[in-house]
Amino acid sequence: MTITARAQRPGGAVRALGAVTVGTLLANLLAYVVQVPASRVLGPDGFGEFSVLNAAMLVLSVPALALQAVVAREVVTGTPRRRLWRLTGVVGVLVAIGSAVGVGVMMQIAHTSWSTTLAALAGAAPLAVIAGGQGFLQGTGRFGLLGGVLAAVGVAKSVPIVVALVVGAGPTGALAAGTVGTAIAAVAVAGVAIGGTRTTNASRAPRGGRPRSRVSMVDVLSASSVQFVMIVAVSVDLLLSRSVLSAGDAGVYALGAVATKAAFWLPQAIGVVVYPRLADPVRSADALRRAVAVLAAIGCTVTVLAAVCGPLVPVVISDDYRPVAAWMWLFALTGSLLAVLQLMLLAAIARNRARGAVPAFVVLVVEVVLIVTVADSVVTLATVAAGAAVVAVVATWAWVRSADG
């Protein structure tokens, strides 16, 4: 019996979810712990720049994020690991090229300096290697090891940033430290994944004995189109904040966006563990409904907690961020809705139905137009983002129901 099969047993599924949840929570906790010294040390202006460039780096890493889903799917179907590592290298190179182009683009959009922008965007390419390695571990069902890798990567990416902030390195130094940590993590994850897949049946024959078609960049691009919609949806308001708000207000908005990201990434482990079942035509619809119900419950809890804890923002962070304190629940609600949207789009990737991202893409285009033409304050921008999240979830769910029917 393979490790993947063992993970499907009730006890194995619980342990798998537990391991990935712990690793994900630790990584996300560290990512948000970083926001406290960053917001206090850098002030609204510097923190706004720091946050916008982090969001831009995440958008550029979309092919890397899609790569994990593709590698996991292909490992399950028996594609040779050498071919998948070759694909990982190609994706890494393309992301690096895109990052070089992105430096000039972000300098114009967000009014950031060359050195700071480069320090941030250089961290996108190593994420391709990390994603490829995690895809191998996910596809072979090594969820315990995957949980440890997720936690270790979180440490490697976050701790150097905190150290840089403490010693007064500023936005450029902090972002550069995070990039160096990410590169080190990429080397470590590749080593772990190569060693791990050698001890598993990672290259087993495809089901039914039929030859497997060659996986290529087309597969990654198809998954990337879905991931792109998702990542841009969770980042577009922050990315455009420095274009429609003052530098100070953009920094205040960036702190609210921390709640959006927290609510979005908090239940990430659920999507990781349920993904193989989403790819199973027999169990996909039921697995999706159950997972959406769980995410909805988590989202309600997080939104209420954000409303209760919002007044603490001026005390814990700085009085400079008081204008956003009463609206933290709105940011958390947006992130919770986007977590549900992410799960539905993961189901589209698992079923190889990239068209499932079309409703969310249309909503995203309308959201950009509204941000550019209407949003002129922190509250207005947050309201536009929340409204877009609601419409995207409803429209995508309607598409899922029609596709299943």
Side-chain angles (χ1 to χ4, degrees):
M1 181 178 292
T2 65
I3 291 175
T4 303
R6 289 199 299 271
Q8 297 303 327
R9 291 178 173 179
V14 171
R15 287 192 295 273
L17 180 59
V20 177
T21 298
V22 170
T24 302
L25 285 177
L26 179 57
N28 288 338
L29 178 62
L30 289 170
Y32 294 112
V33 165
V34 166
Q35 309 303 317
V36 176
S39 57
R40 292 178 66 91
V41 172
L42 301 178
D45 289 5
F47 183 60
E49 183 180 33
F50 176 86
S51 299
V52 166
L53 290 176
N54 266 324
M57 189 271 289
L58 184 62
V59 171
L60 282 168
S61 66
V62 162
L65 298 175
L67 179 66
Q68 178 172 342
V70 171
V71 169
R73 184 181 68 202
E74 296 300 318
V75 166
V76 171
T77 57
T79 300
R81 60 174 178 263
R82 180 177 299 178
R83 186 177 299 168
L84 295 176
W85 278 118
R86 188 182 306 124
L87 178 64
T88 298
V90 172
V91 173
V93 170
L94 292 178
V95 171
I97 295 173
S99 298
V101 175
V103 170
V105 174
M106 284 306 299
M107 288 174 63
Q108 295 298 318
I109 294 176
H111 313 297
T112 54
S113 67
W114 177 84
S115 58
T116 307
T117 308
L118 177 62
L121 302 193
L127 289 177
V129 179
I130 293 174
Q134 291 177 170
F136 276 103
L137 298 178
Q138 183 182 3
T140 53
R142 297 175 66 85
F143 291 113
L145 184 55
L146 177 59
V149 165
L150 289 168
V153 170
V155 171
K157 291 167 62 178
S158 301
V159 172
I161 296 177
V162 174
V163 173
L165 290 168
V166 169
V167 300
T172 303
L175 291 167
T179 293
V180 171
T182 302
I184 294 173
V187 175
V189 171
V192 169
I194 291 172
T197 52
R198 282 174 179 167
T199 61
T200 62
N201 193 18
S203 298
R204 56 187 179 275
R207 295 174 182 173
R210 291 189 297 270
R212 180 78 175 99
S213 60
R214 289 183 63 89
V215 62
S216 67
M217 275 301 299
V218 174
D219 298 88
V220 178
L221 291 174
S222 177
S224 293
S225 66
V226 181
Q227 287 280 9
F228 176 80
V229 172
M230 186 65 261
I231 296 302
V232 173
V234 80
S235 305
V236 66
D237 54 334
L238 182 58
L239 285 171
L240 295 177
S241 62
R242 288 174 67 91
S243 298
V244 298
L245 304 177
S246 66
D249 283 348
V252 170
Y253 190 88
L255 186 68
V258 171
T260 301
K261 299 296 195 303
F264 175 72
W265 291 111
L266 177 65
Q268 184 184 22
I270 294 173
V272 173
V273 174
V274 81
Y275 183 78
R277 289 190 286 277
L278 294 176
D280 186 338
V282 176
R283 298 184 295 171
S284 180
D286 182 63
L288 181 60
R289 283 193 297 269
R290 291 174 180 271
V292 165
V294 173
L295 288 180
I298 294 173
C300 290
T301 303
V302 171
T303 302
V304 171
L305 286 174
V308 173
C309 298
L312 297 176
V313 166
V315 178
V316 176
I317 307 298
S318 168
D319 198 61
D320 292 333
Y321 299 96
R322 183 178 294 276
V324 80
W327 297 98
M328 295 299 285
W329 68 269
L330 184 59
F331 288 93
L333 175 62
T334 302
S336 299
L337 289 166
L338 292 174
V340 174
L341 179 63
Q342 181 187 43
L343 182 70
M344 290 189 285
L345 295 182
L346 271 177
I349 295 176
R351 301 171 182 180
N352 202 18
R353 297 175 180 173
R355 289 177 297 176
V358 171
F361 176 75
V362 173
V363 174
L364 180 61
V365 172
V366 175
E367 180 182 2
V368 171
V369 173
L370 289 175
I371 289 175
V372 173
T373 59
V374 176
D376 57 0
S377 70
V378 171
V379 176
T380 305
L381 182 54
T383 302
V384 169
V390 171
V391 176
V393 167
V394 172
T396 304
W397 181 253
W399 179 88
V400 168
R401 292 292 298 272
S402 63
D404 289 340

Short mmCIF file of all heavy atoms in Angstrom, two decimals, residues 141-190:
data_model
loop_
_atom_site.label_atom_id
_atom_site.label_comp_id
_atom_site.label_asym_id
_atom_site.label_seq_id
_atom_site.Cartn_x
_atom_site.Cartn_y
_atom_site.Cartn_z
N GLY A 141 1.90 11.84 -0.97
CA GLY A 141 1.20 11.67 0.29
C GLY A 141 2.07 11.78 1.53
O GLY A 141 1.67 11.34 2.60
N ARG A 142 3.25 12.38 1.41
CA ARG A 142 4.14 12.53 2.56
C ARG A 142 3.78 13.82 3.31
O ARG A 142 4.56 14.77 3.36
CB ARG A 142 5.59 12.51 2.11
CG ARG A 142 6.00 11.19 1.46
CD ARG A 142 7.40 11.22 0.90
NE ARG A 142 8.42 11.35 1.94
CZ ARG A 142 8.93 10.33 2.63
NH1 ARG A 142 8.48 9.09 2.41
NH2 ARG A 142 9.85 10.53 3.53
N PHE A 143 2.59 13.82 3.89
CA PHE A 143 2.06 15.04 4.49
C PHE A 143 2.79 15.42 5.78
O PHE A 143 2.87 16.60 6.12
CB PHE A 143 0.56 14.88 4.75
CG PHE A 143 -0.25 14.83 3.49
CD1 PHE A 143 -0.91 13.66 3.12
CD2 PHE A 143 -0.34 15.92 2.65
CE1 PHE A 143 -1.66 13.60 1.96
CE2 PHE A 143 -1.08 15.88 1.48
CZ PHE A 143 -1.74 14.71 1.13
N GLY A 144 3.29 14.44 6.51
CA GLY A 144 4.07 14.77 7.71
C GLY A 144 5.31 15.55 7.35
O GLY A 144 5.63 16.58 7.96
N LEU A 145 6.03 15.07 6.34
CA LEU A 145 7.23 15.76 5.88
C LEU A 145 6.87 17.10 5.25
O LEU A 145 7.57 18.10 5.44
CB LEU A 145 7.97 14.89 4.87
CG LEU A 145 9.31 15.40 4.33
CD1 LEU A 145 10.27 15.71 5.47
CD2 LEU A 145 9.92 14.38 3.37
N LEU A 146 5.75 17.13 4.52
CA LEU A 146 5.30 18.39 3.91
C LEU A 146 5.01 19.44 4.97
O LEU A 146 5.37 20.61 4.81
CB LEU A 146 4.05 18.14 3.06
CG LEU A 146 3.42 19.36 2.40
CD1 LEU A 146 4.41 20.06 1.48
CD2 LEU A 146 2.16 18.97 1.62
N GLY A 147 4.38 19.02 6.07
CA GLY A 147 4.11 19.96 7.15
C GLY A 147 5.40 20.54 7.72
O GLY A 147 5.50 21.74 7.99
N GLY A 148 6.42 19.69 7.90
CA GLY A 148 7.70 20.17 8.39
C GLY A 148 8.37 21.13 7.42
O GLY A 148 8.97 22.13 7.82
N VAL A 149 8.26 20.82 6.13
CA VAL A 149 8.84 21.69 5.11
C VAL A 149 8.15 23.05 5.10
O VAL A 149 8.81 24.11 5.02
CB VAL A 149 8.74 21.02 3.72
CG1 VAL A 149 9.01 22.04 2.61
CG2 VAL A 149 9.73 19.87 3.62
N LEU A 150 6.83 23.05 5.18
CA LEU A 150 6.08 24.32 5.20
C LEU A 150 6.54 25.19 6.37
O LEU A 150 6.74 26.41 6.23
CB LEU A 150 4.59 24.04 5.31
CG LEU A 150 3.91 23.44 4.07
CD1 LEU A 150 2.50 22.96 4.40
CD2 LEU A 150 3.87 24.46 2.94
N ALA A 151 6.70 24.58 7.54
CA ALA A 151 7.13 25.33 8.72
C ALA A 151 8.55 25.86 8.54
O ALA A 151 8.84 27.02 8.85
CB ALA A 151 7.05 24.44 9.96
N ALA A 152 9.45 25.01 8.04
CA ALA A 152 10.84 25.42 7.87
C ALA A 152 10.98 26.55 6.86
O ALA A 152 11.77 27.49 7.06
CB ALA A 152 11.68 24.21 7.43
N VAL A 153 10.21 26.46 5.78
CA VAL A 153 10.24 27.54 4.78
C VAL A 153 9.74 28.84 5.41
O VAL A 153 10.30 29.92 5.16
CB VAL A 153 9.38 27.16 3.55
CG1 VAL A 153 9.20 28.37 2.63
CG2 VAL A 153 10.02 26.02 2.79
N GLY A 154 8.71 28.75 6.23
CA GLY A 154 8.21 29.94 6.91
C GLY A 154 9.26 30.58 7.78
O GLY A 154 9.42 31.81 7.80
N VAL A 155 10.02 29.76 8.50
CA VAL A 155 11.10 30.28 9.34
C VAL A 155 12.17 30.95 8.49
O VAL A 155 12.63 32.07 8.78
CB VAL A 155 11.72 29.15 10.18
CG1 VAL A 155 12.99 29.62 10.89
CG2 VAL A 155 10.71 28.63 11.19
N ALA A 156 12.58 30.27 7.41
CA ALA A 156 13.64 30.80 6.55
C ALA A 156 13.26 32.11 5.88
O ALA A 156 14.12 32.98 5.65
CB ALA A 156 14.02 29.76 5.50
N LYS A 157 11.99 32.28 5.57
CA LYS A 157 11.54 33.50 4.90
C LYS A 157 11.30 34.65 5.87
O LYS A 157 11.50 35.82 5.51
CB LYS A 157 10.24 33.22 4.12
CG LYS A 157 10.44 32.31 2.92
CD LYS A 157 9.11 31.81 2.37
CE LYS A 157 8.23 32.93 1.88
NZ LYS A 157 6.97 32.40 1.30
N SER A 158 10.85 34.35 7.08
CA SER A 158 10.39 35.40 7.99
C SER A 158 11.44 35.88 8.98
O SER A 158 11.58 37.09 9.22
CB SER A 158 9.16 34.91 8.77
OG SER A 158 8.13 34.55 7.89
N VAL A 159 12.20 34.96 9.56
CA VAL A 159 13.16 35.34 10.60
C VAL A 159 14.20 36.35 10.09
O VAL A 159 14.50 37.34 10.78
CB VAL A 159 13.83 34.10 11.20
CG1 VAL A 159 14.98 34.48 12.13
CG2 VAL A 159 12.80 33.26 11.97
N PRO A 160 14.78 36.15 8.89
CA PRO A 160 15.75 37.15 8.41
C PRO A 160 15.15 38.55 8.27
O PRO A 160 15.85 39.55 8.50
CB PRO A 160 16.17 36.60 7.04
CG PRO A 160 15.93 35.13 7.13
CD PRO A 160 14.69 34.99 7.97
N ILE A 161 13.87 38.63 7.91
CA ILE A 161 13.23 39.95 7.79
C ILE A 161 13.15 40.63 9.15
O ILE A 161 13.44 41.82 9.28
CB ILE A 161 11.82 39.80 7.18
CG1 ILE A 161 11.90 39.26 5.76
CG2 ILE A 161 11.09 41.14 7.20
CD1 ILE A 161 10.55 39.03 5.11
N VAL A 162 12.74 39.87 10.17
CA VAL A 162 12.65 40.43 11.52
C VAL A 162 14.01 40.92 11.99
O VAL A 162 14.13 42.02 12.55
CB VAL A 162 12.07 39.39 12.50
CG1 VAL A 162 12.11 39.93 13.93
CG2 VAL A 162 10.65 39.02 12.11
N VAL A 163 15.03 40.12 11.76
CA VAL A 163 16.39 40.52 12.17
C VAL A 163 16.81 41.80 11.46
O VAL A 163 17.36 42.73 12.07
CB VAL A 163 17.40 39.39 11.87
CG1 VAL A 163 18.82 39.85 12.14
CG2 VAL A 163 17.08 38.16 12.72
N ALA A 164 16.53 41.86 10.16
CA ALA A 164 16.89 43.06 9.39
C ALA A 164 16.16 44.29 9.90
O ALA A 164 16.74 45.39 9.99
CB ALA A 164 16.58 42.84 7.91
N LEU A 165 14.90 44.14 10.26
CA LEU A 165 14.14 45.27 10.79
C LEU A 165 14.68 45.72 12.14
O LEU A 165 14.77 46.93 12.42
CB LEU A 165 12.67 44.88 10.93
CG LEU A 165 11.89 44.70 9.61
CD1 LEU A 165 10.54 44.03 9.87
CD2 LEU A 165 11.69 46.05 8.92
N VAL A 166 15.04 44.77 12.97
CA VAL A 166 15.55 45.10 14.31
C VAL A 166 16.85 45.90 14.23
O VAL A 166 17.07 46.82 15.01
CB VAL A 166 15.76 43.81 15.14
CG1 VAL A 166 16.53 44.11 16.42
CG2 VAL A 166 14.41 43.17 15.47
N VAL A 167 17.70 45.54 13.25
CA VAL A 167 18.98 46.25 13.13
C VAL A 167 18.85 47.53 12.31
O VAL A 167 19.85 48.21 12.04
CB VAL A 167 20.06 45.34 12.51
CG1 VAL A 167 20.28 44.11 13.38
CG2 VAL A 167 19.71 44.94 11.08
N GLY A 168 17.63 47.87 11.89
CA GLY A 168 17.39 49.13 11.19
C GLY A 168 17.74 49.12 9.72
O GLY A 168 18.14 50.15 9.17
N ALA A 169 17.55 47.98 9.04
CA ALA A 169 17.93 47.87 7.63
C ALA A 169 16.96 48.59 6.70
O ALA A 169 17.28 48.85 5.54
CB ALA A 169 18.02 46.40 7.22
N GLY A 170 15.73 48.92 7.17
CA GLY A 170 14.76 49.60 6.33
C GLY A 170 14.07 48.64 5.37
O GLY A 170 14.36 47.44 5.36
N PRO A 171 13.15 49.16 4.53
CA PRO A 171 12.41 48.29 3.61
C PRO A 171 13.30 47.49 2.67
O PRO A 171 13.08 46.30 2.46
CB PRO A 171 11.53 49.27 2.83
CG PRO A 171 11.41 50.46 3.70
CD PRO A 171 12.71 50.57 4.43
N THR A 172 14.33 48.13 2.12
CA THR A 172 15.21 47.44 1.17
C THR A 172 15.95 46.29 1.83
O THR A 172 15.98 45.16 1.32
CB THR A 172 16.22 48.42 0.56
OG1 THR A 172 15.51 49.50 -0.07
CG2 THR A 172 17.09 47.72 -0.47
N GLY A 173 16.55 46.57 2.98
CA GLY A 173 17.29 45.52 3.69
C GLY A 173 16.40 44.39 4.14
O GLY A 173 16.77 43.21 4.07
N ALA A 174 15.17 44.72 4.62
CA ALA A 174 14.26 43.69 5.10
C ALA A 174 13.81 42.79 3.94
O ALA A 174 13.78 41.56 4.07
CB ALA A 174 13.04 44.34 5.75
N LEU A 175 13.47 43.39 2.81
CA LEU A 175 13.03 42.60 1.66
C LEU A 175 14.18 41.76 1.09
O LEU A 175 13.98 40.60 0.69
CB LEU A 175 12.47 43.52 0.58
CG LEU A 175 11.14 44.19 0.94
CD1 LEU A 175 10.82 45.32 -0.04
CD2 LEU A 175 10.00 43.17 0.94
N ALA A 176 15.38 42.31 1.08
CA ALA A 176 16.54 41.55 0.61
C ALA A 176 16.83 40.37 1.53
O ALA A 176 17.15 39.26 1.06
CB ALA A 176 17.77 42.45 0.53
N ALA A 177 16.69 40.57 2.83
CA ALA A 177 16.90 39.47 3.77
C ALA A 177 15.89 38.36 3.55
O ALA A 177 16.22 37.16 3.60
CB ALA A 177 16.81 39.99 5.21
N GLY A 178 14.63 38.74 3.29
CA GLY A 178 13.61 37.73 3.01
C GLY A 178 13.92 36.95 1.74
O GLY A 178 13.69 35.73 1.67
N THR A 179 14.45 37.63 0.73
CA THR A 179 14.80 36.96 -0.52
C THR A 179 15.94 35.97 -0.32
O THR A 179 15.91 34.85 -0.86
CB THR A 179 15.19 38.01 -1.58
OG1 THR A 179 14.04 38.79 -1.92
CG2 THR A 179 15.73 37.35 -2.84
N VAL A 180 16.94 36.36 0.45
CA VAL A 180 18.06 35.45 0.73
C VAL A 180 17.56 34.23 1.49
O VAL A 180 17.93 33.08 1.18
CB VAL A 180 19.15 36.18 1.54
CG1 VAL A 180 20.21 35.19 2.03
CG2 VAL A 180 19.82 37.26 0.70
N GLY A 181 16.70 34.44 2.48
CA GLY A 181 16.13 33.32 3.22
C GLY A 181 15.33 32.38 2.33
O GLY A 181 15.39 31.15 2.47
N THR A 182 14.59 32.95 1.38
CA THR A 182 13.80 32.14 0.45
C THR A 182 14.70 31.31 -0.45
O THR A 182 14.41 30.13 -0.73
CB THR A 182 12.91 33.05 -0.42
OG1 THR A 182 12.06 33.83 0.43
CG2 THR A 182 12.04 32.22 -1.36
N ALA A 183 15.81 31.89 -0.91
CA ALA A 183 16.75 31.15 -1.75
C ALA A 183 17.36 29.97 -1.00
O ALA A 183 17.50 28.86 -1.54
CB ALA A 183 17.84 32.09 -2.26
N ILE A 184 17.73 30.20 0.26
CA ILE A 184 18.28 29.12 1.08
C ILE A 184 17.24 28.02 1.28
O ILE A 184 17.54 26.82 1.20
CB ILE A 184 18.76 29.67 2.44
CG1 ILE A 184 19.95 30.62 2.22
CG2 ILE A 184 19.14 28.54 3.39
CD1 ILE A 184 20.38 31.35 3.48
N ALA A 185 16.00 28.43 1.52
CA ALA A 185 14.92 27.46 1.69
C ALA A 185 14.71 26.63 0.43
O ALA A 185 14.43 25.43 0.50
CB ALA A 185 13.63 28.18 2.06
N ALA A 186 14.85 27.26 -0.74
CA ALA A 186 14.66 26.55 -2.01
C ALA A 186 15.68 25.41 -2.15
O ALA A 186 15.33 24.30 -2.56
CB ALA A 186 14.78 27.52 -3.18
N VAL A 187 16.93 25.69 -1.80
CA VAL A 187 17.97 24.65 -1.89
C VAL A 187 17.64 23.50 -0.93
O VAL A 187 17.75 22.32 -1.28
CB VAL A 187 19.35 25.25 -1.56
CG1 VAL A 187 20.40 24.15 -1.52
CG2 VAL A 187 19.73 26.31 -2.59
N ALA A 188 17.22 23.85 0.28
CA ALA A 188 16.91 22.82 1.28
C ALA A 188 15.71 21.98 0.86
O ALA A 188 15.72 20.75 1.00
CB ALA A 188 16.65 23.49 2.63
N VAL A 189 14.65 22.62 0.36
CA VAL A 189 13.45 21.88 -0.04
C VAL A 189 13.75 20.94 -1.21
O VAL A 189 13.26 19.80 -1.24
CB VAL A 189 12.31 22.86 -0.42
CG1 VAL A 189 11.15 22.11 -1.05
CG2 VAL A 189 11.83 23.61 0.81
N ALA A 190 14.56 21.40 -2.15
CA ALA A 190 14.93 20.53 -3.28
C ALA A 190 15.63 19.28 -2.78
O ALA A 190 15.35 18.16 -3.23
CB ALA A 190 15.81 21.30 -4.26
#
